[in-house]
Amino acid sequence: MADKQYDWAAIAKNPKFVELHRKKTTFLIGWWVFSTVFYFLLPIGAAYAPGLFKIKIIGNINFGYLFALSQFFVSWGIAMYYAHVANKDFDRLTRELVDELR
Amino acid sequence: MKKLIAGITLALSLGSFAFAQEPAKAPTGAAGAPAVAAPATAPAAPAATAPAPAAPLAKAAAPAEKKSELKANPYVTIPIFLIIIGVTMCVVVWSAKKTKSAADFYTAGGGITGTQNGWAIAGDYMSAASFLGISGMISLYGYDGFMYSVGWLVAYITVLLIVAEPCRNAGKFTLGDILSFRTEPKPVRAVCALSVVAVSTFYLTAQMVGAGKLMQLLLGIPYKTAIIGVGILMVGYVVFGGMTATTWVQIIKAGLLMSGAGVLSVLVGIKSGMSPLQFFTDIATNPNIAEHVQKVVLKDPVAVAGFDYGQRFLEPGLFLKNPLDQISLGMALVLGTAGMPHILMRFFTVPTAQAARKSVIVAMFIIGTFYILTTLLGFGAAIHLSPQGIQKVDKGGNMAAMMLAQKMGGDISPFLGDLLLAFLCAVAFATILAVVSGLVLAASAAIAHDIYVNVIKDGHADQHEQVMAARITSLCVGAAGILIGIAAEKQNVAHLVALAFAVASSGNLPVVVMSLFWKKFNTAGVIAGLVTGTVISIVLVMVSPNMTYPKKVAADAQKVVATLEKKQAGGTILSEKETKELAKARTDYETNKDGTSIIGLDKPLIDLKNPGIISIPIGFLAAILGCLAFPSRRSEEMFDEIYVRQNTGIGIAKAVDH
């Protein structure tokens, strides 16, 4: 490794790094848990609440179909939101930190 | 070297030409020769032995009412196949010139853009099984098929939020690079390579067998020829073009698949006046679907008065019966995708963490759109071809999308029907090539980079030697893939996919996550986690209903014998088909009555097809206990480094700056 010049322990204590890592962890874990719980509502709901899934919402389209479809849009939404936050906040903090270390 | 490559590429093209020529022979020999060979998984499918005399060439066959067979027109199919093989071969020749260092070979020199990588991930992921299998499942079981596809997309949230960027920042070529960062490199790399090879082999075998059967069914070429053809092309792409060629094959395939699915969906949409409401009304009021649900799926001999069987098709519970199994599969998908070595490897091909992030997002939009389109294809096939007609060609519904292409195009003009079918055949073929190439590359990277270069040679190998090692292992892995594919022809390989996801989710993922995020994680943890996760997954799948249990087969056969003999005793004369069934059931009973499954069981010990719900927690637990039992101060001290690196990308920027 040619990068021995970095003092990793010192960087890890750098306030900028601490801020970056705290923000990132909260965001990532929070949204991961949300998306996972939301996803498992689908198989669990289909198995244990089939009555709910049968309710017709528009014409012949029932709640179950709309819920399954919503999974796609929620996933895309989380992905877009994450990209937005990461591009705006995380990348900026990272850049500032890297510049400071230079 | 260049001449050698050019020569071998030429030979490969000729080989594949001969392979593609093959289908022409079947229909031209005798007009009646059955062009649709029996799929080995569904020997009972009546279409396999469709009445030969009347079967005309597909070209002349205007899609008749309830067409119960599927034939590709060789005059349209062969040129399309040749174009695809030709284009991909050009990519190989072009990328072979660019592949000089090990980094070029494994990661295309880190020179793939985020968008390209996104398309490649999508291409890698949307296998023939999901493309044909899910649309087929929707066409036969409605809602459950669609629900099944959701997990495949949601899995990417985990990839995006947890592994993509840290992997880009912390790794170089393989999973072993990440895991060996702050552990004892040699044992960790060796164990990790074994796990990667295991996962890749399971997945590869499933894909190869699927490929052989698909080509057999679509084009009527013999199973072995198909496997060898696919195998030679795949080895060609990987050995000469490395990651660059593999990536481009995946991109081309994803583009073709999306355009094919898009065109078909529009054609299906037009039939319902482009109105989703009308489309769902068409499903719910279709008499064929209602009859299918009543008689085949729910097995009500007489319709229950007032029960809306058509609407039932849009409700859950027709296919996925065991909720625990369903949840278990969800866990394996959500966590397994992020542990799949060929998916992880794709993040090393992009230059920055930002590009890695972008590529997952691009991939998510492509994959999501694709799975939404499969609803249109699946339901469309059910409306326009009837589930009964689809099952006549393939019991599992795997040909639903293909049949829909021929029907939808054929309604406009017979040529267009043939063209669409040929196009989809070619897409399916390209799909298999893309997926297997990615797997061969992942397996060979584990052997060549982790075991040969870093364990045997201690990391002392020059670029030339590394590339040679990579090429030779790719060749060996590819050859092994062909041999296993041929050997597994008669096997039911569905459990191999479950196995691949189980090992990836219970073996690979826990150690990757802990390695990146847990300070105390160390060598003992990696080894305990990988070994326990892998072994427990394999054991659980071996005792699960995925395996064949001869005593159960015998019991089923006995039932058939009993029914038919009773019918005979009652004075009814059995039809020719029933006589055959009776004879088959008798032999089945005789050959299976004393048998046990591979590991000597009479019946499954657990009733979960996907062991994830048990094996994932065990995998995590083993990894945790392993490193708590053998703490390592060095690993803890090095945590700061990997943590800073994976969050910021410091230190890696230079390594990929080609």
Side-chain angles (χ1 to χ4, degrees):
Chain A
M1 302 273 157
D3 331 294
K4 286 269 161 63
Q5 67 270 34
Y6 290 112
D7 180 354
W8 301 106
I11 303 175
K13 288 191 191 74
N14 183 310
K16 280 224 170 73
F17 181 79
V18 174
E19 189 193 348
L20 170 70
H21 130 100
R22 206 191 53 238
K23 274 195 172 169
K24 254 183 143 169
T25 315
T26 331
F27 184 96
L28 296 179
I29 305 228
W31 283 105
W32 185 79
V33 170
F34 171 80
S35 77
T36 309
V37 169
F38 187 71
Y39 166 64
F40 281 104
L41 287 179
L42 181 68
I44 294 172
Y48 300 104
L52 173 69
F53 278 49
K54 286 178 185 171
I55 299 170
K56 290 186 197 173
I57 308 274
I58 322 164
N60 291 80
I61 305 176
N62 55 22
F63 176 80
Y65 190 84
L66 291 178
F67 186 54
L69 200 61
S70 77
Q71 296 276 343
F72 290 86
F73 291 94
V74 168
S75 300
W76 286 337
I78 294 174
M80 291 303 286
Y81 180 54
Y82 169 63
H84 172 75
V85 173
N87 289 337
K88 207 180 80 197
D89 290 350
F90 303 158
D91 287 356
R92 178 180 52 82
L93 281 169
T94 312
R95 230 180 358 259
E96 282 174 18
L97 178 70
V98 172
D99 285 346
E100 193 184 301
L101 294 171
R102 211 165 257 166
Chain B
M1 190 68 184
K2 255 186 199 169
K3 270 187 191 160
L4 177 74
I5 290 175
I8 297 181
T9 313
L10 185 68
L12 281 175
S13 322
L14 289 177
S16 38
F17 186 77
F19 153 68
Q21 274 288 326
E22 202 83 7
K25 287 173 197 157
T28 42
V36 180
T41 39
T49 46
L57 277 178
K59 188 177 72 169
E65 277 294 295
K66 291 242 185 88
K67 224 168 121 61
S68 65
E69 57 181 65
L70 183 72
K71 259 193 206 168
N73 178 348
Y75 303 104
V76 184
T77 312
I78 292 177
I80 295 191
F81 264 66
L82 287 182
I83 292 171
I84 290 189
I85 293 172
V87 169
T88 48
M89 276 302 160
C90 294
V91 172
V92 174
V93 173
W94 165 73
S95 36
K97 286 184 199 144
K98 294 179 51 165
T99 303
K100 294 192 183 75
S101 66
D104 295 334
F105 191 88
Y106 296 125
T107 66
I112 306 283
T113 68
T115 312
Q116 287 168 351
N117 199 36
W119 279 89
I121 293 173
D124 202 329
Y125 199 58
M126 299 181 292
S127 64
S130 55
F131 159 48
L132 298 174
I134 292 180
S135 51
M137 223 164 122
I138 295 173
S139 75
L140 298 183
Y141 301 100
Y143 181 78
D144 278 3
F146 182 50
M147 193 171 87
Y148 182 82
S149 68
V150 171
W152 301 82
L153 172 75
V154 175
Y156 273 90
I157 292 281
T158 307
V159 178
L160 175 68
L161 298 183
I162 312 286
V163 302
E165 293 172 50
C167 281
R168 163 61 277 168
N169 279 338
K172 202 172 155 209
F173 297 155
T174 64
L175 182 62
D177 290 338
I178 302 172
L179 297 182
S180 64
F181 203 85
R182 56 194 176 110
T183 53
E184 299 278 343
K186 281 194 179 180
V188 166
R189 277 187 193 273
V191 173
C192 176
L194 286 180
S195 145
V196 167
V197 170
V199 173
S200 309
T201 313
F202 298 148
Y203 212 58
L204 183 67
T205 309
Q207 296 287 341
M208 290 292 274
V209 174
K213 286 183 185 160
L214 185 69
M215 292 296 121
Q216 195 181 31
L217 190 66
L218 282 176
L219 302 173
I221 48 177
Y223 178 85
K224 275 182 196 146
T225 319
I227 294 272
I228 294 172
V230 169
I232 289 177
L233 281 172
M234 135 189 118
V235 169
Y237 294 149
V238 178
V239 171
F240 297 110
M243 186 51 111
T244 316
T246 304
T247 305
W248 280 101
V249 171
Q250 284 159 347
I251 295 175
I252 292 170
K253 165 268 165 106
L256 290 176
L257 184 55
M258 289 306 282
S259 29
V263 168
L264 260 187
S265 303
V266 170
L267 290 177
V268 169
I270 289 173
K271 295 253 171 181
S272 298
M274 285 314 222
S275 147
L277 276 181
Q278 184 58 42
F279 184 64
F280 278 87
T281 311
D282 287 349
I283 302 166
T285 54
N286 186 300
N288 288 327
I289 294 178
E291 195 198 294
H292 169 78
V293 172
Q294 180 211 327
K295 293 198 171 141
V296 181
V297 184
L298 297 177
K299 299 196 169 65
D300 290 348
V302 183
V304 178
F307 190 88
D308 189 349
Y309 286 99
Q311 183 66 26
R312 184 71 187 78
F313 198 62
L314 294 168
E315 292 164 0
L318 294 182
F319 183 75
L320 307 164
K321 302 253 193 277
N322 180 352
L324 264 188
D325 207 4
Q326 189 43 28
I327 294 163
S328 189
L329 170 72
M331 288 177 74
L333 282 180
V334 166
L335 299 172
T337 305
M340 278 288 178
H342 63 294
I343 300 279
L344 283 177
M345 206 171 163
R346 289 233 57 92
F347 297 115
F348 305 131
T349 62
V350 287
T352 57
Q354 284 77 6
R357 181 192 307 147
K358 189 174 173 194
S359 56
V360 186
I361 292 169
V362 169
M364 281 180 70
F365 276 91
I366 301 170
I367 295 168
T369 311
F370 171 75
Y371 282 125
I372 293 178
L373 292 183
T374 55
T375 340
L376 290 171
L377 303 189
F379 283 137
I383 298 173
H384 300 296
L385 297 157
S386 81
Q388 294 88 341
I390 294 166
Q391 281 202 315
K392 271 188 197 155
V393 171
D394 182 81
K395 267 243 150 58
N398 289 318
M399 289 299 120
M402 300 290 176
M403 292 170 72
L404 185 69
Q406 199 170 31
K407 171 87 167 73
M408 291 290 112
D411 281 358
I412 302 168
S413 89
F415 175 76
L416 198 63
D418 284 349
L419 187 70
L420 267 183
L421 174 62
F423 181 74
L424 274 205
C425 288
V427 170
F429 178 71
T431 292
I432 295 162
L433 286 177
V435 178
V436 292
S437 306
L439 289 165
V440 168
L441 198 59
S444 83
I447 301 173
H449 176 70
D450 285 328
I451 294 195
Y452 177 74
V453 174
N454 282 299
V455 176
I456 298 177
K457 302 287 275 185
D458 247 338
H460 304 299
D462 61 22
Q463 286 299 337
H464 179 71
E465 193 184 350
Q466 287 195 34
V467 176
M468 278 313 284
R471 291 202 154 123
I472 293 167
T473 38
S474 309
L475 192 65
C476 299
V477 171
I482 297 176
L483 291 178
I484 297 174
I486 291 174
E489 176 179 358
K490 300 267 183 265
Q491 304 294 313
N492 175 6
V493 292
H495 64 279
L496 287 176
V497 176
L499 200 48
F501 273 94
V503 174
S505 58
S506 1
N508 297 357
L509 185 83
V511 295
V512 172
V513 170
M514 289 192 201
S515 187
L516 292 170
F517 297 99
W518 192 34
K519 187 169 181 147
K520 288 203 162 86
F521 202 53
N522 60 33
T523 311
V526 175
I527 293 176
L530 272 180
V531 173
T532 316
T534 307
V535 170
I536 198 88
S537 309
I538 294 177
V539 169
L540 287 175
V541 170
M542 294 297 267
V543 301
S544 75
N546 288 304
M547 307 307 288
T548 308
Y549 295 91
K551 286 226 169 78
K552 210 174 151 288
V553 176
D556 289 344
Q558 204 173 19
K559 254 184 238 161
V560 175
V561 173
T563 326
L564 290 175
E565 272 175 354
K566 200 172 155 197
K567 205 170 165 187
Q568 220 168 11
T572 328
I573 295 163
L574 295 181
S575 70
E576 198 182 324
K577 195 177 136 208
E578 283 171 323
T579 319
K580 270 189 197 153
E581 261 175 46
L582 182 62
K584 186 176 172 299
R586 280 188 178 132
T587 20
D588 275 357
Y589 177 71
E590 281 308 315
T591 45
N592 286 305
K593 65 176 178 179
D594 295 318
T596 50
S597 77
I598 296 175
I599 54 165
L601 290 174
D602 288 345
K603 59 179 190 347
L605 289 180
I606 52 169
D607 55 2
L608 291 174
K609 283 190 171 168
N610 301 282
I613 202 166
I614 308 173
S615 64
I616 295 171
I618 293 182
F620 271 101
L621 204 65
I624 295 172
L625 292 179
C627 61
L628 290 182
F630 303 95
S632 152
R633 184 189 284 265
R634 184 177 158 272
S635 293
E636 273 184 56
E637 281 168 354
M638 282 188 73
F639 179 70
D640 284 342
E641 177 173 351
I642 194 169
Y643 205 73
V644 171
R645 271 174 182 269
Q646 55 132 319
N647 273 300
T648 60
I650 296 173
I652 203 79
K654 283 177 218 139
V656 292
D657 225 11
H658 299 275

